[in-house]
Amino acid sequence: MSRPPRGRRRRGGAGKARPASRPPEVVVIDKLAARGDGEARLADGTRAFVPFTLPGDRVRVEIGAARSDGVACRAVEFLESRPRAEPICPVFGRCGGCQLQHAPAPLYAEWKRDVVAECLRRAGVDAPLAPLERVPVASRRRADFAAVRAGGAVLLGFHEGESDRVVGIDGCPLLVPALDGLIGPLGRLLAAILRTAGDKADVSVTAADGNAVDMLISASVEPGLAEREALAVFAREHGVARIGWRTGNVAPEPVLVREEPCVRIGEAIVALPMGSFLQPSQAGEEILRRLVRAGVGDAGRIADLYCGVGTFALDLAGRGASVLAVDGAAEQVQALSLAAGRAGLGGRVTTEIRDLRTRPVEAAGLAGMDAVVFDPPRAGARAQAAEIAASDVGRCVAVSCNPATLARDLRVLVDGGFRVEGVTPLDQFPYSRHVEAVATLSR
């Protein structure tokens, strides 16, 4: 019989009572649950969530801690195993980043689409659902690594699922070559910096245009002269454009800048502020832009809320629209504004720095807008959606990395008189449980 992957340890949470020990049970997996784990029923009817299983698997499971409305389990023996895809990564089953490499492609695509459909159904939103859009493997242009000195060595990689434990890696097949090739050298660099047992660092890397790598290190230690010299050598030898360093919650310090990391959006060139947000892949960003353009149609005046560095605003302005771009990240809004000016779009782009979570743009502030685009963080945009619903805007495009909060916000807009014309799911994070979606609405 097939052996299960090495199981992930799940944290029960501080102060969370663990159930009394229960003997193992044999279960049959019914479906993939929302987090990508297989779902089954125990003998008493309790929902059991079993990582790395597929519908139809018959497995013996150890029963663990309570989770949402069921219990987390671990497969200890596969008695019957359905056909599987061959994982593309040697640390699959330990690294927490890609939970679904074992799922055959048709099942995987259907499941991701169904995650969006189920969220819409629960929110009572009736909408046509398009097929899943996909991005290629090896297209991920940003990543967050974790590093820790333990057992005399430095481990660099990603965390185990639901754990702080770091899984060391030699490479990642999802990353663009400019980032994948940095993993080995970066591990050696950090081994010279994290010298004491327990020293830790998180390293965010982004591949900007021309493979210019932007790196931000958040560490438990301060860099001395020797560390700064090592960083300079590393940047020169491996073509890193900029390295920033942060200790604690202070603003990051630029340790060195060999060149400004930039991205092109339409005719505009945006100089990226340190730590700024980019869509995870250029291919995914282009899909989102295509869907947003189709959603706003021929709108002449557009509000782009949660605009970031201008992923949509600069593209729409370059096509002739007048755009109000609003975000709470001051440095990103300023970078957008400068890029618009340099590209000759200053007359078409107006910017505002505003925390939309606490101070959404009011309905009156949207007066005269033909369309609104909003792309909030995972928590969604409940308050902003209410203001859009109360406005006289005729078209709306909602972009989201969280189908549950997207469905909640769409419900607000539908209750305010909008109709959802369609929703398109997008797989920007291949093999993970995450799925994005774009919804187009009209009055």
Side-chain angles (χ1 to χ4, degrees):
M1 294 297 176
S2 300
R3 283 184 174 272
R6 292 175 64 178
R8 297 176 290 176
R9 293 181 179 236
R10 296 183 179 267
R11 293 178 295 176
K16 193 172 189 177
R18 288 187 166 272
S21 178
R22 296 171 60 174
E25 289 191 27
V26 174
V27 299
V28 176
I29 304 300
D30 300 318
K31 63 179 182 179
L32 291 179
R35 297 191 198 177
D37 296 335
E39 181 180 326
R41 293 282 178 173
L42 298 178
D44 63 1
T46 301
R47 296 170 72 192
F49 302 104
V50 191
F52 311 118
T53 57
L54 295 176
D57 286 348
R58 184 168 169 264
V59 292
R60 190 183 310 279
V61 298
E62 286 182 349
I63 302 169
R67 179 187 121 182
S68 60
D69 55 348
V71 292
C73 294
R74 184 174 73 91
V76 294
E77 182 182 7
F78 278 65
L79 305 174
E80 295 179 26
S81 181
R82 294 306 181 216
R84 280 160 156 68
E86 187 65 28
I88 64 171
C89 178
V91 294
F92 170 66
R94 291 188 293 133
C95 174
C98 302
Q99 305 92 340
L100 288 152
Q101 292 181 39
H102 63 302
L107 172 65
Y108 173 82
E110 180 185 7
W111 173 75
K112 284 225 162 176
R113 188 173 181 271
D114 286 347
V115 168
V116 178
E118 177 63 14
C119 289
L120 295 173
R121 186 193 66 77
R122 289 184 178 183
V125 175
D126 184 20
L129 190 61
L132 180 73
E133 298 258 11
R134 307 284 293 272
V135 301
V137 175
S139 65
R140 183 81 181 267
R141 64 178 174 180
R142 62 178 174 85
D144 295 315
F145 299 119
V148 63
R149 177 166 284 282
V154 167
L155 287 174
L156 173 70
F158 300 112
H159 289 114
E160 288 185 3
E162 310 293 338
S163 171
D164 290 330
R165 186 174 301 171
V166 176
V167 177
I169 61 173
D170 298 319
C172 176
L174 297 184
L175 299 180
V176 295
L179 298 185
D180 185 47
L182 273 184
I183 293 173
L186 179 58
R188 293 189 288 274
L189 169 70
L190 293 174
I193 294 175
L194 306 176
R195 295 193 175 96
T196 304
D199 282 353
K200 297 179 180 180
D202 293 319
V203 185
S204 298
V205 290
T206 299
D209 288 359
N211 291 326
V213 175
D214 192 17
M215 181 177 295
L216 175 59
I217 301 173
S218 302
S220 59
V221 296
E222 293 275 4
L225 178 60
E227 288 76 20
R228 291 171 185 269
E229 290 175 347
L231 289 167
V233 171
F234 172 81
R236 184 175 64 250
E237 291 181 348
H238 300 287
V240 175
R242 178 173 64 190
I243 299 179
W245 193 284
R246 174 165 51 204
T247 305
N249 295 321
V250 300
E253 171 201 356
V255 175
L256 64 92
V257 182
R258 298 176 65 244
E259 62 177 289
E260 265 193 321
C262 297
V263 293
R264 174 182 286 273
I265 302 174
E267 296 304 312
I269 306 296
V270 183
L272 295 175
M274 191 176 299
S276 58
F277 173 80
L278 274 186
Q279 293 293 335
S281 70
Q282 190 168 4
E285 183 173 274
E286 288 300 329
I287 292 170
L288 291 177
R289 274 200 280 261
R290 167 168 56 81
L291 294 170
V292 167
R293 287 196 296 265
V296 299
D298 59 358
R301 296 190 62 197
I302 302 169
D304 180 12
L305 310 180
Y306 304 93
C307 64
V309 296
T311 299
F312 306 126
L314 291 170
D315 178 67
L316 295 170
R319 294 169 185 273
S322 294
V323 182
L324 169 64
V326 186
D327 199 290
E331 291 185 344
Q332 296 186 54
V333 174
Q334 291 161 1
L336 185 167
S337 183
L338 288 172
R342 288 192 295 261
L345 301 174
R348 295 186 200 156
V349 177
T350 304
T351 60
E352 181 181 351
I353 299 168
R354 184 185 186 111
D355 184 348
L356 293 168
R357 182 182 61 84
T358 58
R359 285 200 313 126
V361 176
E362 298 87 353
L366 298 173
M369 292 293 172
D370 302 308
V372 172
V373 178
F374 67 100
D375 182 10
R378 289 189 62 80
R382 185 199 297 266
Q384 186 60 73
E387 294 295 335
I388 297 170
S391 74
D392 61 359
V393 172
R395 297 195 64 79
C396 182
V397 181
V399 182
S400 175
C401 59
N402 184 344
T405 55
L406 171 66
R408 180 202 67 199
D409 295 344
L410 293 182
R411 181 72 260 171
V412 172
L413 292 167
V414 169
D415 290 344
F418 279 93
R419 175 177 62 88
V420 183
E421 296 179 339
V423 178
T424 302
L426 169 61
D427 188 16
Q428 276 234 75
F429 299 89
Y431 302 114
S432 80
R433 63 176 179 248
H434 300 294
V435 59
E436 299 201 22
V438 179
T440 301
L441 305 95
S442 63
R443 293 284 182 183

